[in-house]
Amino acid sequence: MSDTQSPAVQAPAPDALELAALLCSRVCHDLISPVGAIVNGLEVLDDSSKQEDRDFALELIRKSAKTASARLQFCRLAFGAAGSAGAQIDLGDAQNMARGHLEDDKTKLTWNLPRLLLAKNRVKLLLNMLVIAQQTIPRGGTLTIDPIGEGDNLSFRIVAAGINARTPHNIVDLLNGTQSGPIESHGVQPYYTRLLAQACGLAVSLAPEGDTMVVTAS
């Protein structure tokens, strides 16, 4: 018998319509939790006359509305058109979006990038890299964003440090383009990150470095 193994058959890439549908599913997944909480809060206001219940409901609505707004703004920049073809985006605006969406009591950002205008696909790539980096520290920690290069060719290195930092399932294969199964909604974000990197003439990698996980575009 031959010891030669047949190479894995790579699934076909989704077409434009399927990619759009998968990204829409991803955005809906991010929004359904805070929007559902707002609905629950409104139901409490309708059903209860107790002041403590109403105070709780209003606080829930307030926090959930803030979360939903932050996620919408982030998704608009990370997944949306974000201006016309060839548009540039202020990295200061990207920082504000990233902090609003990703920072909480458990996760903090250390942003070491200069404030400048950068091609929109590079900024979208950065935001998607941050999503991937956050997924490697499910119990929270710090995300440190450093520049690679400068000017129009600026790229990024993100170090995720936290308890039990780990590589999420299949994410490396999706970033490398070596996944064997079809792209599904839970995997479309790293797949889309790879497409953004390719559009910028870069490649994205995710690898452990000591006790941290490092996402790099180079």
Side-chain angles (χ1 to χ4, degrees):
M1 292 180 62
S2 171
D3 291 334
T4 302
Q5 295 182 345
S6 298
V9 177
Q10 186 173 340
D15 62 20
L17 286 175
E18 182 65 14
L19 178 60
L22 289 168
L23 286 173
C24 286
S25 293
R26 168 62 197 239
V27 172
C28 290
H29 177 271
D30 286 348
L31 291 174
I32 196 167
S33 177
V35 171
I38 292 171
V39 172
N40 290 339
L42 291 171
E43 289 176 349
V44 172
L45 288 179
D46 287 339
D47 295 341
S48 178
S49 59
K50 295 181 180 178
Q51 188 59 46
E52 58 268 30
D53 289 345
R54 298 181 68 82
D55 289 344
F56 169 80
L58 287 171
E59 183 63 19
L60 176 63
I61 293 169
R62 187 177 295 112
K63 289 183 177 179
S64 300
K66 183 178 179 181
T67 298
S69 176
R71 290 186 182 182
L72 270 174
Q73 293 180 61
F74 182 91
C75 289
R76 178 176 178 270
L77 196 56
F79 305 129
S84 60
Q88 293 184 310
I89 296 173
D90 190 330
L91 278 179
D93 292 338
Q95 178 183 6
N96 291 336
M97 301 297 181
R99 290 192 186 280
H101 177 47
L102 299 174
E103 276 196 325
D104 55 25
D105 293 339
K106 298 191 303 179
T107 303
K108 301 299 178 185
L109 272 63
T110 301
W111 190 276
N112 297 325
L113 301 180
R115 180 153 193 174
L116 50 79
L117 292 173
L118 204 59
K120 70 173 183 178
N121 277 346
R122 285 185 181 258
V123 178
K124 288 159 68 73
L125 172 61
L126 167 62
L127 296 181
N128 278 273
M129 289 170 64
L130 280 166
V131 172
I132 290 169
Q134 184 198 35
Q135 292 173 10
T136 69
I137 47 171
R139 297 178 64 182
T142 60
L143 300 174
T144 303
I145 307 101
D146 291 307
I148 299 176
E150 58 185 7
D152 291 341
N153 295 319
L154 187 73
S155 59
F156 318 103
R157 183 177 190 268
I158 303 172
V159 178
I163 298 173
N164 295 330
R166 53 150 183 84
T167 304
H169 181 62
N170 284 343
I171 203 166
V172 172
D173 289 339
L174 287 161
L175 289 175
N176 294 338
T178 55
Q179 79 285 347
S180 57
I183 305 298
E184 299 178 349
S185 58
H186 68 271
V188 70
Q189 191 272 326
Y191 173 79
Y192 183 64
T193 305
R194 176 164 65 86
L195 296 183
L196 287 169
Q198 290 175 345
C200 298
L202 301 169
V204 181
S205 64
L206 170 64
E209 189 173 292
D211 294 332
T212 67
M213 300 298 299
V214 180
V215 188
T216 306
S218 59

